[in-house]
Amino acid sequence: MTRLVLVINCGSSSIKFALRREGDRKPLLSGLAERLGSGRATLEWRTDDKREEKTLDDGEHATAMAALLPLINDHADQPLTAVGHRVVHGGEHFTHAQRIDDDVVEAIEANAALAPLHNPANLTGIRAAMAVFPGIAHVAIFDTAFHQSMPAYAYRYALPEALYQEHGIRRYGFHGTSHQFITRQASELTGRKHGQGAWLSAHLGNGCSSCAVLDGRSMDTSMGLTPLEGLVMGTRSGDVDPNLHAHLGRTLGWDLPRIEKLLNRESGLLGLSGLSNDMRQLEEAAAGGHAGAKLAIEVFCYRLARSLLGLCAALPRLDGLLFTGGIGENSAKVRARTVEHMGAMGLKLDANANSNAARGAAAAIHVESSPAIWVIPTDEERQIADESLALLDH
């Protein structure tokens, strides 16, 4: 009998979930509990044929998790085999999925300083789920684990050795489940075996990162110690001059919390455009002549192209460029403008294929003479489910 896995992605104010049957491409049930901790918390869930929603009385994580129990019972025709949990930061401690026990919980807590907005929320979901679903395996899947294959010359900062040895200050990378999933899909779609291939992967959503993947192993990626490093994102700046903090402190008198708020919440597409962090809205505004929206899109695409070209240094060859995430899958404009900046690599889009790429479906969008360029929908919940079951099989 095929097995069932419940996937939990718990944030500070939301819980995303999916009930998946082993081997199936689509979940039996998926949904989102959002606005947790407020008086407006809701739980929404979907199946193939309908969508439903309910209000959560006190809006706490434990309440939302308890509300999942009858939903799972209604849609599962057999007991759960495992619950797979997304955990953002595993540091150097975790290089693959881990069955959750007291030691794993303690290690996730120890890495909270590296992801203060994420790891504590992930732990809240783990504890709530273990209370509601006792007696089965709970598995942690780490965003950072996929990138633990990076060589030292890719993950080390040019800082004193003691900061790395004693405090773990190095580049870790994120979005690992997404980069792993779509590069594996690319290998299958192009007839390669065992995840082989030399790929550039661009995960583009409100958070964005690029990655160089060789034969299923991450060789380098754009994010670093935290998810702030790298590309322009929805509200995150990406790379800035490291001395910006000191400059803002001296000239404006800003303290570190104010600067962190600027770089994480007020920058990126939102800061450049002065309008929105939503690429769809920016494209509409740019078409109407909004100068800030035009600039935001141009900077976003140029910085992405520059990052992808730089990541070619990590690969012996280039088998293809992959776009995924909400922007990567749905914005033909971003794909086209990014590839325009990458002409030195011989990359060239088929304009019709790019414009007609169907939402939710994989599509090749390159001309015949170009290295491969694909749009591939990501499915992080499926990757988490697959890794959870693979761990239990060993």
Side-chain angles (χ1 to χ4, degrees):
M1 181 181 292
T2 56
R3 297 171 289 182
L4 292 182
V5 180
L6 175 62
V7 176
I8 299 290
N9 182 351
C10 187
S12 58
S13 63
S14 67
I15 300 174
K16 188 177 181 182
F17 64 91
L19 178 65
R20 307 201 65 114
R21 189 186 303 278
E22 183 178 11
D24 285 359
R25 290 187 173 271
K26 291 185 177 181
L28 298 172
L29 172 75
S30 63
L32 176 70
E34 59 183 339
R35 296 186 291 274
L36 300 178
S38 76
R40 301 176 294 111
T42 59
L43 174 64
E44 174 231 313
W45 64 96
R46 299 175 298 279
T47 58
D48 274 342
D49 56 351
K50 63 180 179 180
R51 173 187 176 278
E52 298 182 71
E53 183 176 309
K54 67 179 290 187
T55 300
L56 297 173
D57 293 336
D58 65 6
E60 299 301 326
H61 285 76
T63 303
M65 201 65 68
L68 282 179
L69 184 56
L71 292 177
I72 300 305
N73 289 337
D74 288 345
H75 291 86
D77 55 6
Q78 63 189 84
L80 288 176
T81 299
V83 180
H85 297 266
R86 179 193 180 215
V87 179
V88 167
H89 216 307
E92 289 189 315
H93 194 84
F94 298 111
T95 60
H96 51 77
Q98 291 284 330
R99 188 160 180 162
I100 298 173
D101 56 21
D102 290 344
D103 290 339
V104 170
V105 168
E106 183 178 337
I108 295 171
E109 288 178 327
N111 285 319
L114 296 172
L117 298 179
H118 298 92
N119 275 30
N122 300 152
L123 281 170
T124 298
I126 287 171
R127 291 181 173 120
M130 293 181 80
V132 173
F133 301 103
I136 62 173
H138 288 255
V139 179
I141 309 295
F142 300 90
D143 274 11
T144 51
F146 180 60
H147 302 297
Q148 287 298 301
S149 54
M150 290 192 298
Y153 57 74
Y155 70 71
R156 285 293 300 274
Y157 290 115
L159 296 170
E161 177 79 7
L163 288 175
Y164 169 62
Q165 294 292 349
E166 298 172 21
H167 302 285
I169 295 178
R170 51 157 284 182
R171 303 181 67 250
Y172 290 97
F174 300 88
H175 294 142
T177 53
S178 180
H179 291 301
Q180 184 176 13
F181 179 82
I182 70 161
T183 52
R184 187 180 67 183
Q185 292 295 108
S187 296
E188 293 178 6
L189 288 165
T190 56
R192 293 173 169 84
K193 296 181 180 179
H194 310 301
Q196 292 180 336
W199 308 106
L200 293 176
S201 168
H203 175 103
L204 309 176
N206 193 49
C208 302
S209 68
S210 52
C211 188
V213 181
L214 178 64
D215 297 336
R217 293 166 56 85
S218 173
M219 304 307 294
D220 198 359
T221 189
S222 59
M223 285 180 166
L225 175 72
T226 75
L228 182 60
E229 185 179 343
L231 306 178
V232 173
M233 306 178 218
T235 63
R236 281 175 261 176
S237 64
D239 291 340
V240 295
D241 187 324
N243 210 39
L244 177 65
H245 291 68
H247 177 75
L248 292 175
R250 285 193 301 265
T251 59
L252 300 180
W254 287 9
D255 60 12
L256 284 177
R258 179 66 189 93
I259 297 170
E260 287 183 333
K261 181 181 179 184
L262 167 77
L263 297 177
N264 284 285
R265 306 290 188 188
E266 301 172 351
S267 298
L269 292 173
L270 175 64
L272 280 166
S273 69
L275 180 65
S276 175
N277 64 324
D278 189 318
M279 184 61 76
R280 295 165 295 186
Q281 186 176 348
L282 294 180
E283 290 186 4
E284 290 177 6
H290 191 287
K294 289 181 179 179
L295 177 64
I297 295 169
E298 285 297 316
V299 173
F300 181 92
C301 294
Y302 175 73
R303 289 274 295 275
L304 171 59
R306 191 176 71 174
S307 174
L308 291 167
L309 288 169
L311 286 172
C312 287
L315 299 174
R317 65 184 187 280
L318 178 61
D319 291 327
L321 167 62
L322 316 174
F323 289 97
T324 196
I327 297 173
E329 294 170 33
N330 297 307
S331 177
K333 179 180 179 68
V334 165
R335 295 192 297 260
R337 194 72 182 106
T338 300
V339 172
E340 283 179 24
H341 288 302
M342 300 180 68
M345 295 299 297
L347 291 159
K348 190 173 181 181
L349 283 179
D350 180 313
N352 289 330
N354 184 43
S355 297
N356 296 325
R359 185 172 184 173
I365 57 172
H366 54 277
V367 300
E368 188 174 342
S369 60
S370 168
I373 309 172
W374 282 80
V375 180
I376 301 179
T378 193
D379 192 339
E380 293 174 90
E381 286 76 28
R382 180 178 165 194
Q383 180 69 30
I384 290 170
D386 289 349
E387 286 192 55
S388 297
L389 292 176
L391 175 69
L392 299 184
D393 289 337
H394 287 86

